[in-house]
C-alpha cells in the first residue's frame, strides 16, 4: 500500500482519537455534577493520553494524496474501529482497575453496540463510567450509520448497495450529497436521542437514567444503568417507550433523510420497513399469547414483556425484562432464532438484516415459478427494484461467511472449555451484536465476566466482524490485498 495512503489513513484515525478525547469531557462534567471527583482523574488522564496520540497522528497535516481507493477504505474502517476501542478502554481500567482484557471487551461491546458486559454492581457504579458506556454506544451507532451509508456501498458488502442499481436512481432521488446527508442523519440521530430522553423521563426514569438509556436504545446497544437491565423499572410506560425507541433506531436512516426532504410516507411505503414492523407484530402476538397461556400473567402484561424482549433481540439491542430463558425450551429456541434476524439496512441494528430474508424469499418464489414455467421470463424484484446478479452474489457470499464465522467462533469457544449452549449462543450474539446469549453464564440474567480471557478476545473479534459486515475485515487477511 502506498505510503501517502497510509499517512492519510493515520491522519483520519488521529481525528477520530481527538474526537474521542473531547468526548471524555462529558463524563468529566457528569462526575462534577454528581460530586464524584474521586473518579475524575481517570478521565482526565485518559483524555490527555488519547489527545496526545491523536495530535501526533495529525501533526504533519493532511498529506498530498488522491482520494482513498476502495481497498484503502477496508483498512481505514477496520483500523479505526480497533484503535478507537483500544484507547476508549483506558477510563475503565483506571476507574474499575479491571484487566485490560475486560476493559477492551466492554469497550468493543460498547462501540459495536453489542451490549455484552463483564461489569456488575451497575446500580451503584460511578456515574462517569455509566455515561461513558452509554456514550460509546451512541458514538458507535452514529459511526456505523455513516459507514453503512457512505463506505459499505463502495465496498459492495452493505445492504444500501441494493438501492444503488442503475434503474432505480435511488441515491439521486432520496439521498443528497454525502456531506449534506451526514449532517441530516446526525440531526435525526440527535433528535431521536432527545425525544427518547424526554419520553423515558416522563415515563418514570430519572433524567440521568433517561439520558443513558436513550443513547443505548437509539444505538440499539443495550448497556443499562442497572444489573437488572430494563427489568429494574416496573412502569409499563417505560417498557413501551423503550420498544418505540428501539424500533426507530432500527429503521433506515436514509429514509429519515428522504422524509425530511419532502418524500412523505416513504417510511411506510418501504418494503423493508413494512416487513420489519409486520414481523415484530406477528411475533409479539404469537409469543405473547403463548406466554399468557403458559404462565400466570394477564394477556396484556405477557404481551408487553414479550414485546420488549422480542424487539430487543430482533433489533440486536440486548436489554431485557426478566429472564426469558426461564420460559421453557420453546422460548430458548425461539430467541436463538431471533438473534439472527436484525433490523433494517442503514440503521444502527446488527444481525443478518431483514432485507436479506426478504430478498432470499423473493428469489425462492422466482425459482419456484421458473420450475413451474421453465420457458417463462420471470423478473426478480425487491421493493420495486430489480435484483441483479451482483446483489445475489453479495447476498450468498455474506450469508455464507456469516454462518461460517459463527461456526468457527463457537468451535473455538468449545475448545477453550465452554459448554455447547454458551459457546454457540455466545458466538451468535457476538457476531449478530445482540448482547446476551443463552444459558446460566451469559444469558439475560448473567454476564460475560466469568469467561476465560481467551474466550473474551475471541468474542471481541466476533463483535468486530459482525459490526463491520465480516467481509470488510476478512479481506485484510487476504494475501491479494497486500500484494499491490
Amino acid at each position: 500500500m502506498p505510503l501517502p495512503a497510509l499517512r492519510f489513513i493515520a491522519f483520519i484515525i488521529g481525528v477520530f482519537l481527538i474526537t474521542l478525547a473531547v468526548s471524555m469531557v462529558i463524563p468529566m462534567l457528569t462526575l462534577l455534577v454528581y460530586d464524584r471527583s474521586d473518579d475524575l482523574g481517570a478521565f482526565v488522564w485518559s483524555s490527555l493520553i488519547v489527545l496526545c496520540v491523536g495530535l501526533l497522528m495529525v501533526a504533519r497535516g493532511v498529506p498530498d494524496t488522491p482520494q482513498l481507493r476502495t481497498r484503502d477504505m477496508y483498512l481505514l474502517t477496520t483500523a479505526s474501529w480497533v484503535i478507537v476501542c483500544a484507547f476508549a478502554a483506558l477510563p475503565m481500567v483506571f476507574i474499575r482497575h479491571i484487566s485490560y482484557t475486560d476493559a477492551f471487551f466492554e469497550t468493543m461491546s460498547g462501540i459495536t453496540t453489542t451490549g455484552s458486559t463483564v461489569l456488575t454492581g451497575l446500580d451503584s457504579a460511578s456515574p462517569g463510567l455509566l455515561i461513558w458506556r452509554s456514550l460509546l454506544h451512541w458514538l458507535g451507532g452514529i459511526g456505523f450509520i455513516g459507514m453503512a451509508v457512505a463506505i459499505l456501498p463502495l465496498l459492495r458488502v452493505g445492504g444500501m448497495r441494493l438501492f444503488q442499481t442503475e434503474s432505480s436512481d435511488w441515491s439521486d432521488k432520496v439521498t443528497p450529497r454525502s456531506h449534506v446527508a451526514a449532517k441530516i442523519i446526525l440531526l435525526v440521530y440527535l433528535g431521536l436521542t432527545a425525544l427518547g430522553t424526554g419520553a423515558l423521563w416522563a415515563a418514570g426514569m430519572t433524567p440521568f437514567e433517561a439520558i443513558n438509556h436513550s443513547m443505548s436504545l437509539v444505538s440499539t446497544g443495550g448497556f443499562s444503568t442497572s444489573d437488572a437491565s430494563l427489568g429494574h423499572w416496573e412502569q409499563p410506560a417505560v417498557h413501551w417507550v423503550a420498544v418505540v425507541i428501539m424500533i426507530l433506531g432500527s429503521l433506515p436512516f436514509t429514509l429519515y433523510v428522504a422524509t425530511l426532504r419532502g418524500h412523505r410516507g416513504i417510511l411506510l411505503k418501504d418494503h423493508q420497513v413494512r416487513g420489519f414492523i409486520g414481523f415484530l407484530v406477528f411475533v409479539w402476538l404469537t409469543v405473547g399469547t403463548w406466554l399468557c397461556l403458559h404462565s400466570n400473567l394477564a394477556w396484556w402484561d405477557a404481551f408487553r414483556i414479550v414485546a420488549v424482549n422480542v424487539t430487543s433481540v430482533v433489533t440486536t439491542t440486548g436489554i431485557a425484562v426478566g429472564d426469558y430463558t426461564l420460559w421453557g425450551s420453546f422460548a430458548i429456541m425461539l430467541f436463538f432464532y431471533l438473534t439472527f434476524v436484525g433490523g433494517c439496512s442503514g440503521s444502527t441494528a446488527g444481525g443478518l438484516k431483514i432485507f436479506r430474508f426478504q430478498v432470499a424469499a423473493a428469489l425462492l418464489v422466482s425459482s419456484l415459478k421458473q420450475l413451474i414455467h421453465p420457458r417463462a421470463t420471470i423478473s426478480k424484484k425487491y421493493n420495486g427494484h430489480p435484483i441483479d446478479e451482483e446483489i445475489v452474489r453479495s447476498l450468498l457470499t455474506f450469508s455464507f461467511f456469516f454462518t461460517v464465522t459463527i461456526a468457527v467462533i463457537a468451535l473455538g469457544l468449545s475448545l477453550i472449555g465452554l459448554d455447547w449452549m454458551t459457546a454457540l449462543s455466545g458466538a451468535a450474539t457476538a457476531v449478530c451484536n445482540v448482547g446476551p446469549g443463552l444459558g446460566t453464564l451469559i444469558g439475560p440474567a448473567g454476564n460475560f465476566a466469568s469467561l476465560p480471557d481467551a474466550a473474551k478476545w475471541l468474542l471481541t473479534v466476533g463483535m468486530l466482524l459482525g459490526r463491520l459486515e465480516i467481509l470488510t475485515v476478512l479481506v485484510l487477511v487476504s494475501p491479494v490485498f497486500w500484494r499491490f
Side-chain angles (χ1 to χ4, degrees):
M1 181 173 291
L3 184 60
L6 289 176
R7 285 184 54 204
F8 196 19
I9 290 173
F11 177 85
I12 295 175
I13 295 175
V15 173
F16 290 162
L17 291 179
I18 293 174
T19 304
L20 182 69
V22 173
S23 299
M24 292 184 188
V25 173
I26 295 177
M28 291 181 203
L29 294 176
T30 302
L31 289 169
L32 291 175
V33 169
Y34 282 88
D35 195 22
R36 292 286 297 270
S37 57
D38 51 323
D39 296 326
L40 187 61
F43 284 101
V44 171
W45 282 109
S46 298
S47 180
L48 288 175
I49 293 171
V50 176
L51 181 63
C52 289
V53 175
L55 290 175
L56 287 175
M57 297 180 76
V58 303
R60 299 183 64 179
V62 182
D64 296 328
T65 182
Q67 291 184 342
L68 291 177
R69 301 166 299 173
T70 299
R71 63 195 309 272
D72 299 331
M73 290 183 182
Y74 283 94
L75 181 60
L76 169 62
T77 303
T78 305
S80 60
W81 237 266
V82 173
I83 293 174
V84 167
C85 283
F87 284 96
L90 293 178
M92 297 187 188
V93 175
F94 294 150
I95 292 178
R96 280 296 184 105
H97 303 291
I98 59 177
S99 68
Y100 188 77
T101 295
D102 283 352
F104 190 86
F105 178 94
E106 191 81 7
T107 305
M108 180 65 77
S109 177
I111 290 184
T112 59
T113 70
T114 301
S116 302
T117 183
V118 296
L119 302 182
T120 56
L122 298 177
D123 298 84
S124 58
S126 164
L129 177 63
L130 294 176
I131 199 73
W132 181 239
R133 293 166 80 242
S134 300
L135 190 60
L136 290 176
H137 271 338
W138 196 86
L139 294 173
I142 188 62
F144 181 71
I145 293 170
M147 185 187 69
V149 174
I151 298 178
L152 289 182
L154 300 177
L155 306 182
R156 302 175 185 267
V157 299
M160 298 310 295
R161 187 71 184 172
L162 191 63
F163 305 120
Q164 295 190 337
T165 54
E166 294 180 0
S167 58
S168 68
D169 197 27
W170 181 275
S171 57
D172 291 336
K173 293 180 179 178
V174 175
T175 307
R177 295 182 181 274
S178 57
H179 68 280
V180 179
K183 291 179 181 178
I184 299 176
I185 287 174
L186 179 58
L187 289 175
V188 170
Y189 199 66
L190 286 168
L192 291 178
T193 306
L195 180 65
T197 300
L200 289 170
W201 185 6
M205 287 187 174
T206 66
F208 181 74
E209 293 167 345
I211 292 172
N212 276 272
H213 285 86
S214 182
M215 289 194 290
S216 179
L217 294 170
V218 167
S219 62
T220 62
F223 283 156
S224 177
T225 58
S226 173
D227 289 333
S229 191
L230 207 62
H232 178 77
W233 293 267
E234 297 180 355
Q235 302 94 320
V238 170
H239 298 166
W240 284 116
V241 168
V243 169
V244 173
I245 299 173
M246 286 187 283
I247 292 175
L248 292 176
S250 301
L251 301 182
F253 274 70
T254 50
L255 296 187
Y256 288 129
V257 174
T259 301
L260 293 177
R261 297 184 72 228
H263 295 262
R264 306 301 178 189
I266 194 169
L267 271 169
L268 298 178
K269 295 177 183 177
D270 185 76
H271 190 55
Q272 182 179 201
V273 173
R274 294 169 65 179
F276 174 65
I277 300 297
F279 176 78
L280 282 178
V281 173
F282 173 77
V283 178
W284 292 350
L285 292 172
T286 304
V287 183
T289 302
W290 173 85
L291 181 60
C292 176
L293 296 175
H294 291 80
S295 69
N296 296 323
L297 294 171
W299 185 87
W300 183 248
D301 290 331
F303 180 74
R304 169 176 52 84
I305 293 172
V306 165
V308 174
N309 288 312
V310 166
T311 305
S312 174
V313 173
V314 171
T315 61
T316 69
T317 304
I319 62 169
V321 175
D323 187 355
Y324 46 76
T325 62
L326 300 178
W327 297 353
S329 56
F330 168 74
I332 293 175
M333 187 61 67
L334 174 68
F335 277 96
F336 179 70
Y337 290 158
L338 294 177
T339 298
F340 297 92
V341 178
C344 298
S345 176
S347 70
T348 61
L352 276 168
K353 304 292 195 312
I354 199 72
F355 88 93
R356 289 191 173 95
F357 291 95
Q358 293 176 312
V359 172
L363 293 174
L364 175 61
V365 171
S366 176
S367 298
L368 292 176
K369 290 181 179 178
Q370 196 73 60
L371 289 174
I372 298 172
H373 305 286
R375 297 183 179 180
T377 301
I378 300 174
S379 61
K380 306 179 184 67
K381 288 188 176 182
Y382 170 68
N383 210 19
H385 309 309
I387 304 174
D388 59 27
E389 293 302 320
E390 180 184 348
I391 292 172
V392 176
R393 185 167 57 250
S394 174
L395 176 74
L396 292 175
T397 303
F398 176 82
S399 300
F400 173 76
F401 281 105
F402 185 89
T403 306
V404 169
T405 299
I406 293 175
V408 171
I409 292 177
L411 193 62
L413 293 173
S414 298
L415 186 63
I416 292 170
L418 302 185
D419 64 273
W420 72 269
M421 180 178 290
T422 302
L424 183 57
S425 66
T429 194
V431 176
C432 296
N433 303 124
V434 172
L438 299 174
T440 57
L441 288 180
I442 62 172
N447 65 25
F448 292 72
S450 61
L451 299 187
D453 284 355
K456 292 172 184 174
W457 283 110
L458 190 55
L459 289 171
T460 299
V461 173
M463 295 178 203
L464 180 67
L465 287 169
R467 180 82 289 186
L468 301 188
E469 302 268 285
I470 297 178
L471 299 180
T472 312
V473 181
L474 291 183
V475 71
L476 295 179
V477 301
S478 171
V480 178
F481 176 85
W482 302 98
R483 192 169 296 168
F484 300 102

